[in-house]
Amino acid sequence: MTAGVYQRMLSNLSWASHFLSGALVVLLAALLALSIESTCSGQPAAVEIFEGIPSGCKQLGPSEQARGVVHWVRIDLTAPGIALYVTSQDPTALSQGWQYRLRRVGDVVVREHLAVAINGTLFDAKSNRLFQMSGELANAKEPVVANHTISHAWLDAYLLWFDDQLTPHLRPSKGFTEAELATAKWGIGGQDFWLQDGHVWSGDRRCFTVDAHTAVGVDLPRKLLFLAVGTHLSPNIMFQTLADLGARDGMLLDGGSSASMAIGTGAKVVSPGTVYGWRPVATQFGVRAEPLR
């Protein structure tokens, strides 16, 4: 065996060991998250955790469309101290032809001092590994708007956006106009607009696909924003849950292994930290809020 071949074998073994150990850590984290968050054990059905933000957990099923839980928050956008957060593009990623670096939602909540956040858009990562790691380069599929800067123009998506007064806008057609972009300060793109005017649409077989899902909802006249993550449920059940909570319109964000929600330090009654989820994602959507007095 030549020295070059021997060195290559050692390099391959080292890479394989590193990959397997990293994958094992991520897999164990995923299994732990699934095992401890399949019930609402000890979590209240509804309680205010920050100023203007009640939160709750609802047990679902068991049925053909639901056998898990929905974690939700409702944000009063008129409450003092409420501010939105959408992931900005990463300068070092942009210098390499990408937009973002993958980060876990819980890490973003801590670093950005958020009250709550969820995962955002669908994304593509540079690596094609089964388990991506934090820090990897990535691109968002749907557009996002962060402090008046849009990530990219892609019209095959719905856009929930907010102006400087945090007034929400979400229309039941894909795309956006130049006038909307000129006014939008924050925004998140999504798919499957299946909650419209308080009614859940179920005309697509995907409405009944059981998986983990992340959804956003709004009541435009009342300036209410809803964030929700559900485990082992269909979009149909997810949107009905949001409708029961008062949402009038809503759409899905990225789901499956990307579904995640985290609560920030200072929350009352509930423990801060990751409520559900383990996978690092490209974009996050959340809010800052004042602690309860």
Side-chain angles (χ1 to χ4, degrees):
M1 182 182 298
T2 67
V5 171
Y6 181 72
Q7 289 295 330
R8 285 196 297 273
M9 288 180 62
L10 287 179
S11 177
N12 289 339
L13 286 172
S14 176
W15 179 89
S17 175
H18 175 76
F19 171 78
L20 288 174
S21 61
L24 181 60
V25 169
V26 175
L27 180 58
L28 289 175
L31 292 174
L32 179 61
L34 290 173
S35 65
I36 65 175
E37 299 298 342
S38 59
T39 69
C40 291
S41 57
Q43 299 187 48
V47 63
E48 192 169 16
I49 61 173
F50 288 94
E51 289 289 345
I53 305 182
S55 171
C57 182
K58 181 177 181 180
Q59 190 75 44
L60 302 171
S63 68
E64 289 185 0
Q65 293 189 52
R67 56 183 185 276
V69 302
V70 171
H71 300 278
W72 60 269
V73 296
R74 185 184 71 224
I75 299 106
D76 181 355
L77 296 169
T78 67
I82 294 293
L84 293 181
Y85 172 84
V86 178
T87 308
S88 299
Q89 295 184 83
D90 184 275
T92 60
L94 290 172
S95 68
Q96 300 178 63
W98 294 81
Q99 294 175 310
Y100 304 98
R101 289 189 178 275
L102 300 184
R103 296 185 295 172
R104 290 186 173 86
V105 173
D107 295 337
V108 173
V109 166
V110 172
R111 180 172 180 176
E112 300 294 338
H113 307 290
L114 304 181
V116 61
I118 56 175
N119 63 288
T121 62
L122 292 161
F123 64 92
D124 292 313
K126 182 178 181 180
S127 79
N128 57 3
R129 293 199 293 264
L130 180 60
F131 298 109
Q132 281 94 26
M133 307 297 287
S134 293
E136 291 190 29
L137 298 168
N139 285 332
K141 288 191 175 181
E142 292 89 11
V144 300
V145 182
N147 200 19
H148 289 294
T149 300
I150 187 168
S151 59
H152 60 287
W154 190 54
L155 299 180
D156 189 24
Y158 300 99
L159 185 68
L160 170 62
W161 61 276
F162 306 80
D163 59 25
D164 288 301
Q165 289 72 46
L166 297 188
T167 302
H169 303 264
L170 178 62
R171 54 186 173 87
S173 59
K174 289 185 175 182
F176 40 82
T177 67
E178 290 186 6
E180 288 172 333
L181 286 184
T183 308
K185 183 174 183 178
W186 308 103
I188 187 82
Q191 299 290 331
D192 301 329
F193 193 138
W194 290 339
L195 176 61
Q196 297 184 29
D197 197 25
H199 300 287
V200 179
W201 184 76
S202 57
D204 190 313
R205 60 182 177 82
R206 293 176 299 145
C207 295
F208 307 102
T209 302
V210 174
D211 201 345
H213 294 288
T214 300
V216 293
V218 288
D219 182 324
L220 300 178
R222 294 194 295 162
K223 294 188 71 170
L224 295 177
L225 169 66
F226 300 78
L227 310 179
V229 170
T231 69
H232 304 99
L233 80 166
S234 68
N236 185 57
I237 297 297
M238 169 65 90
F239 285 125
Q240 188 58 60
T241 301
L242 286 178
D244 293 341
L245 292 170
R248 301 294 297 173
D249 302 284
M251 65 181 184
L252 292 180
L253 301 181
D254 194 6
S257 61
S258 295
S260 184
M261 175 185 282
I263 302 296
T265 302
K268 296 295 185 181
V269 183
V270 301
S271 300
T274 299
V275 174
Y276 179 81
W278 56 272
R279 183 187 185 190
V281 295
T283 59
Q284 296 82 22
F285 179 47
V287 298
R288 297 183 176 92
E290 295 294 327
L292 290 171
R293 298 178 181 178

